[in-house]
Structure formats: structure tokens, C-alpha cells
Amino acid sequence: MTKQTKPTLQVLIVAVPETAGSALYGMIDVLAAAGNIWQSLVGTEPASRLFEPLIVSPSREPFRCGHAIPVMPDLSVEDDPSAEIIILPEIWLGPDEQISGRYTALIDWVRRRYRAGATLYSACSGALMLAETGLLDGCEATSHWGYENLFRQCYPKVRFRPETNLAFADPAGRIVTAGGTTSWHDLALHIIARHASPGEALRIAKVYLLKWHDEGQLPFASLVRRSPHADAVVKSCEAWLSDHFREADALEKAVRQAAIPERTLKRRFKAATGTTLIERLQNIRIEQAKQLLETTSLPVDEISNEVGYEDASFFRRLFKRRTGLSPSQYRRMFQPISRM
């Protein structure tokens, strides 16, 4: 019996001037290599082309994307092209910048393709374009951790999950978002495994030396980030906690110095920052612990005490919950080699 080859799947990859060239062309290269590069190197089976990646843009006119990298679109959304797979790769966008209103025809096209049966994938900040379609409303999604506040402000109906590296918006897996900047690696391997075979994904990983980011984004994420707001009392409370987080009764003192009822402060703090008062204190302490793990050789128990936790076992559990790694694992991962 002759082995039947799978038909080549057309993949449409969206590109706009804000698109990151590394993600765009990296995805094209890896998908185009599926089914043939390992086979050519090893020579154990005939090569075939499993995917045909094409660039689709608002128009067919050549342009330059992020860092002035040239792009020559294969198709325009005006052509209303169709394919089983549509990918929205990373875009260069500031953490307070909005994509809303920039590409209405493109967003409408993505919606139409989904309703026609296409599977949608996004990498990193490409999820912001996907969120613009409304298809993520009420669903779990991920993107780079730096866009958590932007999602909270602009797309409050999306259940943003910064800790995961791949998020499935629906049980059928027809909308999949991937997390950090190099998450297109994980996304490409996922697409190959799902639409070709797990074995082919493994071969591609071996050829390109790609790894699954099993640890997710948590180890890399900053837990304390700027949340623009106009609440002067909350700003004062944030500043006080930053200076006095080591104190055992830091929360009680923060409430007293705010000079407003505790329930009112907690409500206003959550509304202004998106985190609770206790979460902010814990995040500040864990961030300080991360810095100490990266820059010193202090034992974990001493670091626990240094950041305000007398109970080292509680500190270890909290650290693991916030970062996805134990303190010792974090130290191995991030401490400079010269210190090890």
C-alpha cells in the first residue's frame, strides 16, 4: 500500500504595518518547512509540503512592518480570501496604545472567516486584534503579560490569563491565543501537531531547536506594573506600600495613613489598579524577593524574612503561585552565570 499524503493546507497570516517581522517570517518559515525539511535532512521518507503560508493584508501594496522590514502581501482582505487556518501574529503596540478603529475591514474579514468555519490563532499581542472582533468576549485568552491592563480597560469581557502560554477560547479549539513574544514557537508547533501530526511537530522542533515553553509566562512577568489612574488616595497608598512593604503590619498602617474607611480604600484600590490591596503588597514583596534571588546568594529563608514573611513555608507557596517556579528554581533560571 502506498502511503497517502495529506493535502497542503493553506494558511493565511495577517500582516499590517505594526506587525513584528520576526513573528511573521518565523511563522512562515517554520510552517513552510513542515513535511519537508526533516525529510530532506534525514532522507527516511519522501518530502511533502504540509502548509502553504500566505500573507494577507488590508491591500496588496508592499509596505514595511515593524523595524522597517519589507512585506509583500500575497492577498488582500478586499479579495475576501478563505482558508482553514488564519493567524494573527505579534504586533508592536505600546501597553497603553489601542488598535481599535485602525483596521475595520480586516477585523470584519476575520469575523466572517470564523463564521465560515476557519480556525483562528493569535501570537502575543496579535490577541488584541482578535479581541477587537468580539469573538473573545466571555472567553479565556492570553497575550504578553504587559498587555494585561490594556485588556482589562479595553476588553473587560475577555477573561485574560497572563500565566498561561496557550489559551483555548472555546471547547472545539477554534480560537487559540498564545502568550509572550516568542510564543509563536509554541503556536507553530501546536498548529503543526494539530493539523499535520504530533510527530511532525517534534521533527520541526528538533530541526529548529524550538522548545515548548512549559513554564508559561509567569517567571518572566513583572508583578508590579503601572496602572494609570487619577485616584490621589490610591496613588499615595501605592507609594507608601512600596516604601514600607517589609513591615509586618504594612496593610493596617496603609489603611490608617489613607485616612478613609478600610472598605472604601479597598474598593477604590481595586477599581483604580485592578488588584486588591493584599495582592499589591504580596506582589511588591515577591518582586523584591525575585531581585534578591537574582542578585544575591542569600538563603531562601533569609529572603523570606527580608521581604516581610516570617513564615518561610508560606513565602515559598506564595512565590510558586505568583511565578510558577519555586524560589530555588527561579534562582537557577535567572541568576547570572558568574554567580552560580
Side-chain angles (χ1 to χ4, degrees), residues 181-335:
T181 304
T182 57
S183 63
W184 71 262
H185 298 178
D186 302 78
L187 187 61
L189 293 175
H190 172 73
I191 290 171
I192 294 168
R194 185 179 188 190
H195 295 273
S197 73
E200 186 58 30
L202 183 59
R203 294 184 187 115
I204 288 294
K206 289 179 178 178
V207 171
Y208 282 88
L209 305 184
L210 301 179
K211 70 179 284 285
W212 297 95
H213 293 88
D214 297 327
E215 70 277 7
Q217 297 190 82
L218 282 183
F220 306 93
S222 173
L223 297 174
V224 181
R225 299 192 288 279
R226 181 175 62 89
S227 301
H229 62 82
D231 193 320
V233 173
V234 172
K235 285 182 179 178
S236 175
C237 186
E238 288 179 287
W240 193 93
L241 284 174
S242 294
D243 292 335
H244 301 273
F245 66 89
R246 293 180 179 86
E247 298 178 22
D249 53 353
L251 276 184
E252 291 82 356
K253 288 182 177 178
V255 171
R256 284 202 298 271
Q257 70 88 34
I260 61 174
E262 182 176 352
R263 292 181 69 180
T264 303
L265 175 62
K266 289 180 176 179
R267 175 179 54 79
R268 285 170 60 171
F269 198 95
K270 174 72 172 178
T273 68
T275 63
T276 65
L277 202 54
I278 182 65
E279 286 171 341
R280 173 53 65 98
L281 176 60
Q282 290 175 341
N283 288 344
I284 292 172
R285 287 174 168 176
I286 295 301
E287 279 298 318
Q288 178 64 19
K290 286 162 67 174
Q291 185 178 349
L292 291 171
L293 288 165
E294 292 168 15
T295 59
T296 75
S297 300
L298 286 174
V300 172
D301 285 10
E302 285 188 35
I303 290 176
S304 173
N305 192 64
E306 175 68 20
V307 300
Y309 292 113
E310 293 181 3
D311 186 342
S313 62
F314 174 80
F315 165 72
R316 285 183 169 86
R317 291 195 300 273
L318 180 64
F319 192 95
K320 178 72 177 288
R321 190 161 70 245
R322 287 287 196 271
T323 69
L325 300 173
S326 70
S328 57
Q329 288 172 327
Y330 185 92
R331 173 170 270 159
R332 282 197 298 271
M333 189 169 185
F334 290 103
Q335 194 174 66

Side-chain angles (χ1 to χ4, degrees), residues 137-183:
D137 288 357
C139 303
E140 287 190 354
T142 190
S143 179
H144 191 280
W145 54 263
Y147 294 103
E148 183 173 3
N149 286 335
L150 190 59
F151 266 87
R152 181 170 61 86
Q153 293 164 9
C154 299
Y155 310 106
K157 294 181 181 178
V158 179
R159 300 202 303 273
F160 189 78
R161 295 279 307 279
E163 74 278 9
T164 187
N165 210 41
L166 285 179
F168 298 82
D170 61 317
R174 284 188 53 218
I175 303 180
V176 181
T177 54
T181 304
T182 57
S183 63

Side-chain angles (χ1 to χ4, degrees), residues 87-151:
I87 302 172
L88 293 91
E90 175 190 1
I91 54 177
W92 291 116
L93 205 67
D96 301 323
E97 201 176 346
Q98 296 185 25
I99 195 73
S100 181
R102 296 192 193 182
Y103 301 105
T104 53
L106 174 60
I107 298 302
D108 288 341
W109 171 76
V110 173
R111 272 196 217 99
R112 286 199 308 275
R113 289 298 99 219
Y114 177 75
R115 289 168 186 153
T119 300
L120 308 181
Y121 297 97
S122 72
C124 192
S125 47
L128 291 164
M129 298 186 77
L130 201 47
E132 270 294 300
T133 67
L135 296 172
L136 291 178
D137 288 357
C139 303
E140 287 190 354
T142 190
S143 179
H144 191 280
W145 54 263
Y147 294 103
E148 183 173 3
N149 286 335
L150 190 59
F151 266 87

